[in-house]
């Protein structure tokens, strides 16, 4: 019999019950909540007279709607100018109070983007099942945890039953072998993967990222890769547990200690796919071939290397694809065959659950050090992923580097990743963004998003257009 | 959840691939704490010529005449015909809430994104996956004949075209059952309360570090 994949192991460790009709109940160890996808779930509980099944499995924070300027944040929830956003944030506070759920509210130093907060607190542990009403829950798979996004009905279901009603996915392995070039980061790796398999390539699969290039990544880098599994269509992204994982988790507030730590580590060592495990699909990429990536279109699969150009729709033979390319170019205001380095930018956003951790900020700061943001850039902002990331960055002096270069240094939250607060693009504006989605209108009505790594975003801010970060000299 | 009844539904064609949930319902409308009222903002950025904001009266907003749902012949449509990878992106359940609130009972496409697939069924929307060629043919037929409606028979897993052609489709038995009966998942799961408690006890004994209160 073939061995088990990591996904198979996590699945069987949490399987409560399988039904004849192919659905299964799996037990949920960690449930993260934020203000956007939870109010209707709590309302549902109330209407049915139900209580959360297990309080200590839940952890909540406000992130999507929170303002990011210091003046606004100094006033707590009252600083939220949009009355509708305020109600939503306040509703999460009230629901957590009423039901007894731990919440990191707007001015808690631990507040931040839910997918930054969980790992940072050690609330995401290897071997857990982790769900959240948010598709980027795939991020937590970097720890060898089975993690995925769910809808609001499922949020209610998990609150009420501690289980998820679901079906087993298929197994895909994406291996990136060899050494990444200098200046090529985890973000470039995952964009290249999406460029290769497409935004629906992983539909129905749990993707395990493996290979020497993935193993060489830090936990921050691994989270960046798993975060965007959903952009390849896969709800789940996974990476096997190794020393890097265990070192990261050690001594975090929610991590086990003493004897339990020893027992946990022994257990976690088994969270790898068996050597003889069989995957339904295997994709292999050569790390050496990956260049820094830039997306040119309105879907994350519309991406190319910095040395590349915008494609010509006329050269596409598939009609649906051709129409998609034509529409994307029109929306993005780009010409066929335009060089990527000729795309001029209006705004730069460094942040989001993909790239707002300490290492991301260090990479961007390295490029920005001693330089100035180009005059043509209307706004360049850095939004740390959590209060703790912000504090650490300030201890390292990164905030000074950014501010001196002309970047705005903001308070933690989702910010311009989806523009539910005041941070947005204007119509027609091009933005170099370290976030994960370049959909039409995602960062503001009519806004034009280009997905890049933090280093590439910083380099673009300084040049005013995209440049190959590998050609820059360090100051 | 409403029961899914057999219906004859007018079909509206949305001819683009990778329709993401940001497009189905833009983020500014996610600020609502209710489950209803999203229908007027379904496909907001495609449907209106101006930028929408939550709580606004949409009756005076300028409509985009080119958008399919604004065309007179598709008024009252309850079946949406779409291209591959429909519903990709964000997990927002507001997307099926908006489709449902607008009046859609079913979406037909060559493929759907996973999270959207779950969310739609949990809100009584039937998603029908058909081969790319069949969908392509349906697009041509719909565009060619005004008033094109499909008979949706979930019980027998069959669509019938106006010409009388029968197209069979697959749907998993559990989802079909829930849709036909209008069942709420939580109620069904809680019937297994004892199995969940037994699993939980075993899980806690094996991996106590997953339970903060047993530290
Ligand atoms: S940072 Fe962006 S993608 Fe991540 S959780 Fe927030 S809104 Fe979603």
């Amino acid at each position: 019999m073939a061995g088990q994949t990591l996904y198979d192991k996590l699945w069987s460790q949490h399987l409560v019950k399988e039904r004849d009709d192919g659905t299964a109940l799996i037990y949920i160890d960690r449930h993260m909540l934020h203000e956007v996808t939870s109010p209707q779930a709590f309302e549902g509980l109330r209407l049915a007279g139900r209580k959360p099944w297990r309080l200590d499995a839940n952890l909540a924070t406000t992130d999507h709607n929170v303002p990011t300027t210091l003046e606004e944040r100094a006033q707590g929830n009252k600083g939220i100018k949009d009355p509708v956003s305020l109600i939503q944030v306040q509703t999460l506070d009230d629901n957590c109070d009423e039901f007894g759920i731990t919440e990191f509210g707007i001015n808690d130093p631990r507040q931040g983007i839910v997918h930054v907060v969980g790992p940072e607190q050690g609330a995401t542990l290897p071997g857990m099942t982790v769900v959240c009403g948010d598709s980027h829950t795939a991020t937590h798979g970097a720890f060898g945890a089975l993690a995925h996004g769910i809808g609001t009905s499922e949020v209610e279901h998990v609150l009420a039953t501690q289980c998820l009603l679901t079906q087993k996915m298929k197994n895909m392995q994406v291996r990136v072998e060899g050494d990444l070039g200098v200046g090529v980061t985890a973000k470039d790796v995952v964009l290249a993967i999406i460029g290769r398999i497409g935004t629906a390539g992983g539909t129905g699969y749990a993707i395990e990222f493996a290979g020497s290039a993935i193993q060489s990544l830090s936990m921050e880098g691994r989270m960046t890769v798993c975060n965007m599994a959903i952009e390849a269509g896969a709800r789940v992204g996974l990476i096997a547990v190794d020393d890097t994982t265990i070192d990261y988790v050690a001594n975090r507030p929610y991590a086990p200690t003493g004897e339990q730590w020893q027992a946990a580590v022994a257990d976690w060592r088994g969270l790898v796919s068996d050597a003889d495990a069989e995957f339904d699909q295997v994709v292999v990429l050569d790390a050496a071939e990956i260049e820094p990536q830039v997306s040119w279109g309105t879907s994350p699969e519309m991406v190319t290397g910095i040395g590349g150009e915008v494609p010509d729709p006329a050269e596409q033979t598939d009609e649906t694809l051709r129409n998609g390319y034509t529409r994307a170019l029109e929306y993005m205001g780009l010409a066929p065959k335009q060089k990527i380095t000729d795309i001029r930018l209006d705004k730069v956003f460094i942040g989001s659950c993909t790239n707002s951790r300490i290492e991301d900020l260090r990479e961007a700061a390295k490029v920005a050090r001693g330089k100035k943001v180009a005059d043509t850039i209307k706004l360049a902002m850095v939004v740390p992923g959590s209060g703790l990331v912000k504090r650490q960055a300030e201890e390292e002096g990164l905030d000074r580097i950014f501010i001196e270069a002309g970047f705005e240094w903001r308070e933690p939250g989702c910010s311009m990743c989806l523009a539910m607060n005041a941070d947005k693009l204007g119509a027609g504006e091009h933005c170099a963004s370290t976030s994960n989605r370049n959909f039409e209108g995602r960062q503001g009505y009519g806004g034009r998003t280009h997905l890049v790594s933090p280093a590439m975003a910083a380099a673009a801010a300084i040049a005013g257009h995209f440049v190959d970060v590998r050609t820059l000299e360090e100051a | 959840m409403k029961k899914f009844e057999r219906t004859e539904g007018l079909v509206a064609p949305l001819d683009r691939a990778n329709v993401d949930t940001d497009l189905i319902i833009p983020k500014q409308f996610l600020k609502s704490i209710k489950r209803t009222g999203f229908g007027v903002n379904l496909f907001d950025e495609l449907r209106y010529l101006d930028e929408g904001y939550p709580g606004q009266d949409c009756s005076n907003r300028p409509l985009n005449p080119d958008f399919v749902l604004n065309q007179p012949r598709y008024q009252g449509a309850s079946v949406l015909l779409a291209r591959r990878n429909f519903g990709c992106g964000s997990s927002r359940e507001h997307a099926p809430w908006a489709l449902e609130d607008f009046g859609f009972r079913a979406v037909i496409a060559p493929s759907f994104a996973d999270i959207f697939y779950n969310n739609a069924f949990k809100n009584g929307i039937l998603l029908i996956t058909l081969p790319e060629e069949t969908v392509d043919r349906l697009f041509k037929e719909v565009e060619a004949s005004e008033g094109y409606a499909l008979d949706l028979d979930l019980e027998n897993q069959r669509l019938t075209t106006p010409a009388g052609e029968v197209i069979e489709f697959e749907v998993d038995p559990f989802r079909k059952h829930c849709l036909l009966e209008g069942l709420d998942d939580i109620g069904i799961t809680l019937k297994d309360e004892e199995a969940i408690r037994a699993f939980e006890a075993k899980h806690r004994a094996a991996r106590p570090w997953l339970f903060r209160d047993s530290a």
Side-chain angles (χ1 to χ4, degrees), chain A residues 195-272:
Chain A
R196 165 81 82 85
I197 70 174
T199 47
T203 304
Y205 290 94
I207 298 182
E208 180 176 344
F209 299 98
S212 55
I214 298 289
Q215 282 161 354
S216 71
L217 295 174
S218 65
M219 282 319 292
E220 284 87 350
R222 294 178 188 188
M223 285 189 256
T224 301
V225 171
C226 288
N227 174 273
M228 292 192 71
I230 186 68
E231 264 58 67
R235 275 197 291 167
V236 167
L238 281 169
I239 295 177
V241 173
D242 61 10
D243 290 341
T244 306
T245 328
I246 290 168
D247 292 347
Y248 181 98
V249 173
N251 302 316
R252 305 237 160 217
Y254 281 61
T257 50
E259 270 175 39
Q260 278 201 8
W261 171 257
Q262 302 301 335
V265 169
D267 187 59
W268 296 342
R269 294 281 178 199
L271 295 173
V272 294

Side-chain angles (χ1 to χ4, degrees), chain A residues 13-17 19 21 23 25 27 29-30 36-37 39-40 50 53-54 56 65 82 84-85 87-88 91 125 128 133-135 149-154 156-157 160-163 165 167 199-200 202-205 230-231 233 235 253-254 256 260 263-264 267-268 299 301 318 320-321 327 418-420 437 439-445, chain B residues 15-18 20-23 27-35 38 44-46 48-52 54 83-85 88-94 97 111-115 117-119 122-123 132 172-175 184-190 192-197 199-200 202-204 206-215:
Chain A
Q13 286 176 8
H14 291 87
L15 186 62
V16 175
K17 188 173 171 174
R19 297 218 177 96
D21 55 28
T23 59
L25 275 183
Y27 188 82
D29 297 314
R30 174 72 60 218
V36 181
T37 53
Q40 297 87 352
R50 291 177 175 134
W53 179 281
R54 203 188 114 206
D56 78 308
N65 282 280
D82 176 348
V84 203
S85 287
I87 291 174
Q88 200 163 53
T91 303
L125 294 174
M128 272 185 165
D134 193 286
S135 60
I150 55 178
T152 298
S153 295
E154 291 173 317
E156 186 183 339
H157 189 277
T161 70
Q162 211 51 47
C163 290
L165 189 58
Q167 276 168 314
T199 47
T203 304
Y205 290 94
I230 186 68
E231 264 58 67
R235 275 197 291 167
Y254 281 61
Q260 278 201 8
D267 187 59
W268 296 342
S299 162
E301 69 187 24
D318 178 292
T320 310
L321 216 55
R327 191 181 292 119
L418 95 164
M420 270 184 90
R437 287 189 174 140
F439 299 154
E440 288 183 22
R442 169 82 180 182
Q443 294 194 290
Y445 186 75
Chain B
D15 194 1
R16 59 195 277 166
N18 297 316
D20 57 74
T21 53
D22 276 80
L23 201 63
K27 70 256 166 179
Q28 63 269 37
F29 306 108
L30 271 48
K31 294 180 183 183
S32 168
I33 58 169
K34 294 187 301 196
R35 262 176 204 265
F38 295 101
D44 200 271
E45 289 178 10
L46 299 176
Y48 301 100
L49 293 170
D50 62 349
E51 182 179 358
R83 296 288 184 183
R84 64 179 92 129
N85 199 28
C88 61
S90 152
S91 61
R92 58 189 69 163
E93 200 158 317
H94 313 69
W97 292 338
S111 59
F112 295 93
D114 286 343
I115 300 179
Y117 195 81
N118 271 326
N119 287 343
K122 289 188 192 311
N123 288 282
E132 194 118 22
D172 85 64
F174 179 73
R175 290 201 169 102
D184 151 25
D185 280 356
I186 297 179
I188 303 176
T189 299
L190 284 174
D192 285 321
E193 188 168 343
E194 272 178 40
I196 301 171
R197 296 226 180 267
F199 177 90
E200 191 169 53
K202 199 177 69 174
H203 196 50
R204 182 190 284 267
R207 298 185 170 85
W209 55 86
L210 298 176
F211 297 74
R212 289 200 81 206
D213 51 5
S214 51

Side-chain angles (χ1 to χ4, degrees), chain A residues 1-116:
Chain A
M1 204 180 90
Q4 285 186 301
T5 64
L6 172 55
Y7 172 69
D8 295 339
K9 291 182 186 182
L10 292 166
W11 174 268
S12 54
Q13 286 176 8
H14 291 87
L15 186 62
V16 175
K17 188 173 171 174
E18 244 168 330
R19 297 218 177 96
D20 300 338
D21 55 28
T23 59
L25 275 183
I26 62 165
Y27 188 82
I28 300 304
D29 297 314
R30 174 72 60 218
H31 182 210
M32 308 279 309
L33 296 121
H34 64 76
E35 77 275 16
V36 181
T37 53
S38 64
Q40 297 87 352
F42 282 113
E43 187 62 22
L45 282 190
R46 242 186 317 267
L47 290 173
R50 291 177 175 134
K51 293 237 164 321
W53 179 281
R54 203 188 114 206
L55 286 175
D56 78 308
N58 297 285
L59 182 61
T61 189
T62 49
D63 53 7
H64 285 64
N65 282 280
V66 298
T68 58
T69 66
L70 197 55
E71 307 82 77
E72 290 164 310
R73 286 291 274 272
Q75 305 164 55
N77 284 358
K78 282 199 215 78
I80 306 176
K81 293 196 194 93
D82 176 348
V84 203
S85 287
L86 173 60
I87 291 174
Q88 200 163 53
V89 169
Q90 191 60 48
T91 303
L92 181 66
D93 294 354
D94 295 346
N95 281 327
C96 288
D97 267 356
E98 178 185 337
F99 289 99
I101 288 172
T102 306
E103 186 203 7
F104 300 158
I106 192 164
N107 280 348
D108 189 307
R110 299 165 298 180
Q111 175 273 344
I113 306 171
V114 67
H115 311 305
V116 175

Side-chain angles (χ1 to χ4, degrees), chain B:
Chain B
M1 191 168 95
K2 263 192 279 177
K3 284 188 187 178
F4 190 94
E5 315 266 0
R6 181 168 173 169
T7 47
E8 240 200 19
L10 182 69
V11 184
L14 183 63
D15 194 1
R16 59 195 277 166
N18 297 316
V19 169
D20 57 74
T21 53
D22 276 80
L23 201 63
I24 298 175
I25 182 86
K27 70 256 166 179
Q28 63 269 37
F29 306 108
L30 271 48
K31 294 180 183 183
S32 168
I33 58 169
K34 294 187 301 196
R35 262 176 204 265
T36 50
F38 295 101
V40 288
N41 301 111
L42 175 71
F43 297 118
D44 200 271
E45 289 178 10
L46 299 176
R47 200 161 143 198
Y48 301 100
L49 293 170
D50 62 349
E51 182 179 358
Y53 57 87
Q56 165 191 30
D57 174 7
C58 293
S59 57
N60 295 320
R61 291 177 63 195
L63 293 172
N64 171 6
D66 295 333
F67 182 56
V68 59
L69 296 183
N70 290 334
Q71 293 166 14
R73 59 181 285 197
Y74 298 119
Q75 297 314 302
S78 61
V79 180
L80 188 66
L81 183 65
R83 296 288 184 183
R84 64 179 92 129
N85 199 28
F86 186 88
C88 61
S90 152
S91 61
R92 58 189 69 163
E93 200 158 317
H94 313 69
W97 292 338
L99 287 163
E100 205 261 350
D101 197 53
F102 183 87
F104 284 115
R105 304 292 294 139
V107 185
I108 302 172
S111 59
F112 295 93
D114 286 343
I115 300 179
F116 175 79
Y117 195 81
N118 271 326
N119 287 343
F121 274 92
K122 289 188 192 311
N123 288 282
I125 298 178
L126 173 62
L127 300 185
I128 301 174
T129 312
L130 294 177
E132 194 118 22
E133 311 80 65
T134 314
V135 170
D136 212 44
R137 190 156 49 80
L138 289 176
F139 264 99
K140 296 201 173 90
E141 291 180 13
V142 170
E143 275 149 32
S145 74
E146 196 164 333
Y148 188 99
L150 286 169
D151 173 52
L152 304 181
D153 178 359
L154 174 57
E155 180 81 58
N156 296 304
Q157 300 180 210
R158 284 206 300 230
L159 296 178
T160 312
T161 70
E165 185 200 354
V166 172
I167 301 171
E168 303 203 331
F169 60 86
E170 294 292 317
V171 54
D172 85 64
F174 179 73
R175 290 201 169 102
K176 175 177 170 180
H177 174 69
C178 289
L179 223 57
L180 286 172
E181 302 297 323
L183 290 177
D184 151 25
D185 280 356
I186 297 179
I188 303 176
T189 299
L190 284 174
K191 288 193 193 141
D192 285 321
E193 188 168 343
E194 272 178 40
I196 301 171
R197 296 226 180 267
F199 177 90
E200 191 169 53
K202 199 177 69 174
H203 196 50
R204 182 190 284 267
R207 298 185 170 85
W209 55 86
L210 298 176
F211 297 74
R212 289 200 81 206
D213 51 5
S214 51

